[in-house]
Amino acid sequence: QNGIAEGALVPSLIDQWGLKSLLIPAALAQWTSSDGRVAGFPYEGFTWPVWYNMEILQKAGISDIPKTTDELIAAAAKIRAAGFQPLVVGGKDWSGNKLFSLIIQTMLSDQELIDLYTNGNWSDPKVKAAIDLFTKLRDAKVFSDNVEGLTADNMDADFRGGKAAIEFGGSWGYAGLPAADALNVVLGGFPLPTGAARDKPVMYIGFSDTGFWISPNGAQKLDAVRAFITYWYRPEVAGSFTDKVGVYMAVPADKLDFDKSKLNTLFAQSVADLPGKTTTVAFPDLYVPAEFNSAFERATSLAYTPGASTDAIVQALLQAWQK
């Protein structure tokens, strides 16, 4: 939207070119400003669910993925007793930051989350209660040992190496898991606490990966630009990204032409199963002011540190939002 205001981009012609009706509503919403202007043409996106290794869960005596945080706490104890780590995430980097956000969003509506990230009111009682939930899970040893020092690379290595039962990973990692291992993985959302603001376990879907914009120069050649952009939205073209690359597209799968038999196992789950058993929540990157991102990650790294109180975490977050 800044690009439009500054004259670097022209407003999207997505509606005039008949592409608006093709898109997943969430994709269009994430590219639309509060005044209704669409910045461009969303194309590729991602799903970001929770991965559950059912082979490990079954070894721990667990037959189904946890639906509530109480079930998750109980499962973590059983997983540890069976000799594995429970939920692994990069507590010191962006992956842990996003999981922290996802957990507090079980107790906040999308609008409350957007207001929080816009205004930085981390001392609000409802927000503090959500952070209390996070510290409860941390202190119940739901997260893997030394989580505060782990990175996303450590997370992937531990999950793919069979050391941890659960990870919080995006669809960009689906293709990297060997097919035989993928058969043991069930995708789901993060479990809900008592009094949750949601009705199903939560996950992210984002559409910030790839899209098209029109520059002022492009506006001088709209016929050519239109032919180029609309080509990419043809069912067979966009569909080729689905079955050949495993990309989650901004166009619904039922409007694409692709070979379902060629879908990656996890990608097939994300298309067929996740929408019915999870709730998609607001993606933080769309609302956290860019100048606060680094400080926000440092504050959530503190949150994973054993002994850090809710009040200490709140103070770190309040400080992160200081200009």
PDB file of all heavy atoms in Angstrom, residues 24 242 249 251-258 260 271:
ATOM      1  N   ILE A  24      -8.824 -17.133  -3.197  1.00  0.00           N
ATOM      2  CA  ILE A  24      -9.229 -17.462  -1.841  1.00  0.00           C
ATOM      3  C   ILE A  24      -9.474 -16.141  -1.103  1.00  0.00           C
ATOM      4  O   ILE A  24      -8.651 -15.226  -1.179  1.00  0.00           O
ATOM      5  CB  ILE A  24      -8.123 -18.269  -1.136  1.00  0.00           C
ATOM      6  CG1 ILE A  24      -7.981 -19.654  -1.794  1.00  0.00           C
ATOM      7  CG2 ILE A  24      -8.386 -18.393   0.360  1.00  0.00           C
ATOM      8  CD1 ILE A  24      -6.798 -20.448  -1.288  1.00  0.00           C
ATOM      9  N   THR A 242       0.975 -26.487  -8.092  1.00  0.00           N
ATOM     10  CA  THR A 242       0.397 -27.313  -7.043  1.00  0.00           C
ATOM     11  C   THR A 242       0.943 -28.733  -7.084  1.00  0.00           C
ATOM     12  O   THR A 242       1.444 -29.244  -6.077  1.00  0.00           O
ATOM     13  CB  THR A 242      -1.137 -27.340  -7.176  1.00  0.00           C
ATOM     14  OG1 THR A 242      -1.635 -26.007  -7.043  1.00  0.00           O
ATOM     15  CG2 THR A 242      -1.763 -28.211  -6.115  1.00  0.00           C
ATOM     16  N   MET A 249      -1.512 -22.264  -3.419  1.00  0.00           N
ATOM     17  CA  MET A 249      -1.809 -21.134  -4.288  1.00  0.00           C
ATOM     18  C   MET A 249      -2.915 -20.248  -3.717  1.00  0.00           C
ATOM     19  O   MET A 249      -3.724 -20.679  -2.891  1.00  0.00           O
ATOM     20  CB  MET A 249      -2.236 -21.639  -5.671  1.00  0.00           C
ATOM     21  CG  MET A 249      -1.203 -22.535  -6.347  1.00  0.00           C
ATOM     22  SD  MET A 249       0.402 -21.730  -6.579  1.00  0.00           S
ATOM     23  CE  MET A 249      -0.033 -20.485  -7.813  1.00  0.00           C
ATOM     24  N   VAL A 251      -5.283 -19.325  -5.442  1.00  0.00           N
ATOM     25  CA  VAL A 251      -6.486 -19.802  -6.124  1.00  0.00           C
ATOM     26  C   VAL A 251      -6.889 -21.134  -5.494  1.00  0.00           C
ATOM     27  O   VAL A 251      -6.040 -22.014  -5.313  1.00  0.00           O
ATOM     28  CB  VAL A 251      -6.220 -19.995  -7.632  1.00  0.00           C
ATOM     29  CG1 VAL A 251      -7.479 -20.492  -8.338  1.00  0.00           C
ATOM     30  CG2 VAL A 251      -5.727 -18.697  -8.266  1.00  0.00           C
ATOM     31  N   PRO A 252      -8.162 -21.326  -5.117  1.00  0.00           N
ATOM     32  CA  PRO A 252      -8.576 -22.580  -4.494  1.00  0.00           C
ATOM     33  C   PRO A 252      -8.277 -23.790  -5.379  1.00  0.00           C
ATOM     34  O   PRO A 252      -8.321 -23.700  -6.614  1.00  0.00           O
ATOM     35  CB  PRO A 252     -10.087 -22.403  -4.311  1.00  0.00           C
ATOM     36  CG  PRO A 252     -10.322 -20.939  -4.364  1.00  0.00           C
ATOM     37  CD  PRO A 252      -9.274 -20.384  -5.275  1.00  0.00           C
ATOM     38  N   ALA A 253      -7.982 -24.915  -4.750  1.00  0.00           N
ATOM     39  CA  ALA A 253      -7.617 -26.117  -5.487  1.00  0.00           C
ATOM     40  C   ALA A 253      -8.709 -26.559  -6.450  1.00  0.00           C
ATOM     41  O   ALA A 253      -8.422 -27.107  -7.519  1.00  0.00           O
ATOM     42  CB  ALA A 253      -7.288 -27.237  -4.502  1.00  0.00           C
ATOM     43  N   ASP A 254      -9.982 -26.321  -6.085  1.00  0.00           N
ATOM     44  CA  ASP A 254     -11.062 -26.786  -6.966  1.00  0.00           C
ATOM     45  C   ASP A 254     -11.192 -25.943  -8.231  1.00  0.00           C
ATOM     46  O   ASP A 254     -11.990 -26.283  -9.124  1.00  0.00           O
ATOM     47  CB  ASP A 254     -12.391 -26.862  -6.217  1.00  0.00           C
ATOM     48  CG  ASP A 254     -12.846 -25.518  -5.661  1.00  0.00           C
ATOM     49  OD1 ASP A 254     -12.189 -24.492  -5.933  1.00  0.00           O
ATOM     50  OD2 ASP A 254     -13.856 -25.496  -4.934  1.00  0.00           O
ATOM     51  N   LYS A 255     -10.432 -24.867  -8.336  1.00  0.00           N
ATOM     52  CA  LYS A 255     -10.433 -24.046  -9.547  1.00  0.00           C
ATOM     53  C   LYS A 255      -9.163 -24.244 -10.373  1.00  0.00           C
ATOM     54  O   LYS A 255      -8.941 -23.534 -11.356  1.00  0.00           O
ATOM     55  CB  LYS A 255     -10.586 -22.565  -9.180  1.00  0.00           C
ATOM     56  CG  LYS A 255     -11.944 -22.217  -8.566  1.00  0.00           C
ATOM     57  CD  LYS A 255     -12.047 -20.726  -8.278  1.00  0.00           C
ATOM     58  CE  LYS A 255     -13.403 -20.378  -7.677  1.00  0.00           C
ATOM     59  NZ  LYS A 255     -13.525 -18.926  -7.361  1.00  0.00           N
ATOM     60  N   LEU A 256      -8.347 -25.200  -9.960  1.00  0.00           N
ATOM     61  CA  LEU A 256      -7.084 -25.460 -10.635  1.00  0.00           C
ATOM     62  C   LEU A 256      -7.120 -26.793 -11.368  1.00  0.00           C
ATOM     63  O   LEU A 256      -7.865 -27.707 -10.993  1.00  0.00           O
ATOM     64  CB  LEU A 256      -5.935 -25.462  -9.623  1.00  0.00           C
ATOM     65  CG  LEU A 256      -5.684 -24.168  -8.855  1.00  0.00           C
ATOM     66  CD1 LEU A 256      -4.578 -24.369  -7.837  1.00  0.00           C
ATOM     67  CD2 LEU A 256      -5.349 -23.031  -9.807  1.00  0.00           C
ATOM     68  N   ASP A 257      -6.293 -26.905 -12.375  1.00  0.00           N
ATOM     69  CA  ASP A 257      -6.157 -28.130 -13.141  1.00  0.00           C
ATOM     70  C   ASP A 257      -4.821 -28.764 -12.788  1.00  0.00           C
ATOM     71  O   ASP A 257      -3.768 -28.260 -13.192  1.00  0.00           O
ATOM     72  CB  ASP A 257      -6.238 -27.822 -14.643  1.00  0.00           C
ATOM     73  CG  ASP A 257      -6.137 -29.078 -15.502  1.00  0.00           C
ATOM     74  OD1 ASP A 257      -6.205 -30.192 -14.940  1.00  0.00           O
ATOM     75  OD2 ASP A 257      -5.976 -28.936 -16.735  1.00  0.00           O
ATOM     76  N   PHE A 258      -4.853 -29.845 -12.004  1.00  0.00           N
ATOM     77  CA  PHE A 258      -3.609 -30.508 -11.621  1.00  0.00           C
ATOM     78  C   PHE A 258      -3.877 -31.984 -11.352  1.00  0.00           C
ATOM     79  O   PHE A 258      -5.033 -32.410 -11.212  1.00  0.00           O
ATOM     80  CB  PHE A 258      -2.987 -29.846 -10.391  1.00  0.00           C
ATOM     81  CG  PHE A 258      -3.836 -29.904  -9.144  1.00  0.00           C
ATOM     82  CD1 PHE A 258      -3.698 -30.949  -8.234  1.00  0.00           C
ATOM     83  CD2 PHE A 258      -4.772 -28.912  -8.875  1.00  0.00           C
ATOM     84  CE1 PHE A 258      -4.468 -30.997  -7.085  1.00  0.00           C
ATOM     85  CE2 PHE A 258      -5.552 -28.959  -7.723  1.00  0.00           C
ATOM     86  CZ  PHE A 258      -5.399 -30.008  -6.832  1.00  0.00           C
ATOM     87  N   LYS A 260      -3.968 -34.806  -8.977  1.00  0.00           N
ATOM     88  CA  LYS A 260      -4.012 -35.032  -7.533  1.00  0.00           C
ATOM     89  C   LYS A 260      -3.144 -36.206  -7.099  1.00  0.00           C
ATOM     90  O   LYS A 260      -2.664 -36.247  -5.962  1.00  0.00           O
ATOM     91  CB  LYS A 260      -5.457 -35.258  -7.083  1.00  0.00           C
ATOM     92  CG  LYS A 260      -6.343 -34.030  -7.239  1.00  0.00           C
ATOM     93  CD  LYS A 260      -7.754 -34.295  -6.738  1.00  0.00           C
ATOM     94  CE  LYS A 260      -8.630 -33.052  -6.904  1.00  0.00           C
ATOM     95  NZ  LYS A 260     -10.011 -33.287  -6.443  1.00  0.00           N
ATOM     96  N   VAL A 271      -4.490 -29.351   1.911  1.00  0.00           N
ATOM     97  CA  VAL A 271      -5.582 -28.943   1.039  1.00  0.00           C
ATOM     98  C   VAL A 271      -6.892 -29.593   1.442  1.00  0.00           C
ATOM     99  O   VAL A 271      -7.940 -28.943   1.508  1.00  0.00           O
ATOM    100  CB  VAL A 271      -5.247 -29.284  -0.435  1.00  0.00           C
ATOM    101  CG1 VAL A 271      -6.456 -29.043  -1.330  1.00  0.00           C
ATOM    102  CG2 VAL A 271      -4.064 -28.451  -0.920  1.00  0.00           C
TER     103      VAL A 271
END
